Amino acid sequence: LEKILRTALFVGLASCSGVDEPECLDEDILCPSSNRRGVDDDNDGCYDRCVFIDEGVGVDSGSLLKIVFVSERDGNAEIYSMNGDGTNLTRLTNNTSKELWPDWSPDGSRIIFSSDRSGTEQIYSLSGGDLRQLTNEGTYNGLPAYSPEGSLIAFESDRFLEPGWWEIHIMNSDGTNPRRLTETPSGVSLSPRFINENEVVYMTLEPRNFRIEQMSIHDSSVRNVVTLPGTIHFSSLDVFGGTVVFSYSTDDNQTQDIYTVNLDGSSLMRI
């Protein structure tokens, strides 16, 4: 298994977070999850609801690419799999809850995903009919990602935090030994991806600052990869080898551009 393919995942960090637009109302919402975007129904500059964006990840299985993805094609967000050529479409979950952010285990035997079937968004793993709940703290646990060897899972969560604030956590692949990695007092940390078994890369969003950072799991040392100014409306991140690919938007129209940057901070390029 040498490749993991992900679609661009969009994080809706609206001005209605309350940091930059204090006039936003309590009923206006923040769309924290990385495959949700906000919709401003009343044109007041704040999100009134979230809609889901199809996302998918793929893994090589012999000579055939297998893809697992989220779709609302049957009325609500559920997880499906299919071959890389679009054949053999299979629905993997089937209930009234939202199932989001699937990721294959490196050996292709399990998927992890987030679901609100328990009443709050928690992380589960699934293999055939074997469903296991891996988290049970907080109201939001999302965007889980396996480490390259499959021993760890990184995820974003509000566990032990105020709702609407997220930090990066990791746990063993069976859900044991969860621990918090980041401390972001003036913002949120999102979208973790493993570089190797010892390092993760993630986004930190603050009121006027967007950073991509790299952290060692063992000693918690942090290195800044790149810092960009501006109030972020949407952003997403993934890492392929030594290159980070991310989307970034600062304009009021929430227009996104795609960038790449090397993990050493060099060769920042707008695609």
Side-chain angles (χ1 to χ4, degrees), residues 76-91:
N76 66 305
E78 299 286 357
I79 297 175
Y80 297 77
S81 67
M82 65 180 178
N83 296 335
D85 61 3
T87 61
N88 195 27
L89 177 67
T90 304
R91 182 171 177 170

Side-chain angles (χ1 to χ4, degrees), residues 23 64 83 114 122 125 127 139 144 147 160 167 216 235 242 255:
E23 69 272 21
L64 182 66
N83 296 335
S114 178
Q122 303 296 330
S125 72
S127 177
T139 63
S147 64
F160 313 120
E167 298 287 359
S216 167
S235 189
T255 302

Side-chain angles (χ1 to χ4, degrees), residues 9-110:
L9 309 176
F10 303 110
V11 180
L13 289 176
S15 57
C16 55
S17 61
V19 176
D20 300 309
E21 297 290 342
E23 69 272 21
C24 291
L25 304 176
D26 290 340
E27 60 265 28
D28 291 312
I29 61 173
L30 176 68
C31 297
S33 48
S34 300
N35 72 336
R36 282 186 267 183
R37 61 180 175 84
V39 177
D40 182 8
D41 293 313
D42 52 10
N43 296 313
D44 67 348
C46 296
Y47 292 159
D48 302 293
R49 57 190 172 94
C50 297
V51 297
F52 294 95
I53 302 171
D54 278 12
E55 63 164 5
V57 295
V59 62
D60 285 329
S61 178
S63 61
L64 182 66
L65 177 69
K66 300 284 290 184
I67 298 171
V68 64
F69 64 99
V70 172
S71 176
E72 290 185 318
R73 65 187 63 203
D74 293 320
N76 66 305
E78 299 286 357
I79 297 175
Y80 297 77
S81 67
M82 65 180 178
N83 296 335
D85 61 3
T87 61
N88 195 27
L89 177 67
T90 304
R91 182 171 177 170
L92 302 180
T93 59
N94 188 2
N95 52 60
T96 58
S97 62
K98 299 187 297 291
E99 322 287 2
L100 306 170
W101 307 296
D103 190 29
W104 288 109
S105 61
D107 65 3
S109 65
R110 303 191 70 88

Side-chain angles (χ1 to χ4, degrees), residues 110 112 123-125 132-135 146 150-153 171-179:
R110 303 191 70 88
I112 48 174
I123 294 172
Y124 296 78
S125 72
R132 305 174 187 176
Q133 184 172 340
L134 302 183
T135 62
Y146 274 110
S151 62
L152 298 171
I153 295 171
M171 60 184 171
N172 296 340
S173 60
D174 62 359
T176 59
N177 194 25
R179 58 259 196 214

Side-chain angles (χ1 to χ4, degrees), residues 236-256:
S236 66
L237 175 150
D238 214 326
V239 60
F240 299 91
T243 301
V244 179
V245 181
F246 63 99
S247 64
Y248 171 71
S249 171
T250 60
D251 64 37
D252 291 335
N253 294 324
Q254 301 175 358
T255 302
Q256 299 186 71

Side-chain angles (χ1 to χ4, degrees), residues 114-203:
S114 178
S115 172
D116 65 355
R117 62 179 63 199
S118 69
T120 57
E121 290 190 64
Q122 303 296 330
I123 294 172
Y124 296 78
S125 72
L126 177 66
S127 177
D130 180 21
L131 179 69
R132 305 174 187 176
Q133 184 172 340
L134 302 183
T135 62
N136 52 34
E137 301 286 352
T139 63
Y140 168 72
N141 298 269
L143 209 67
Y146 274 110
S147 64
E149 295 180 8
S151 62
L152 298 171
I153 295 171
F155 59 103
E156 56 190 40
S157 176
D158 69 355
R159 54 176 51 205
F160 313 120
L161 300 167
E162 292 294 325
W165 295 97
W166 313 285
E167 298 287 359
I168 305 302
H169 296 71
I170 61 170
M171 60 184 171
N172 296 340
S173 60
D174 62 359
T176 59
N177 194 25
R179 58 259 196 214
R180 177 174 167 179
L181 291 184
T182 58
E183 299 279 348
T184 317
S186 59
V188 295
S189 291
L190 303 165
S191 194
R193 294 290 184 269
F194 280 93
I195 303 169
N196 52 52
E197 290 294 307
N198 181 48
E199 294 176 298
V200 293
V201 63
Y202 58 91
M203 301 183 303

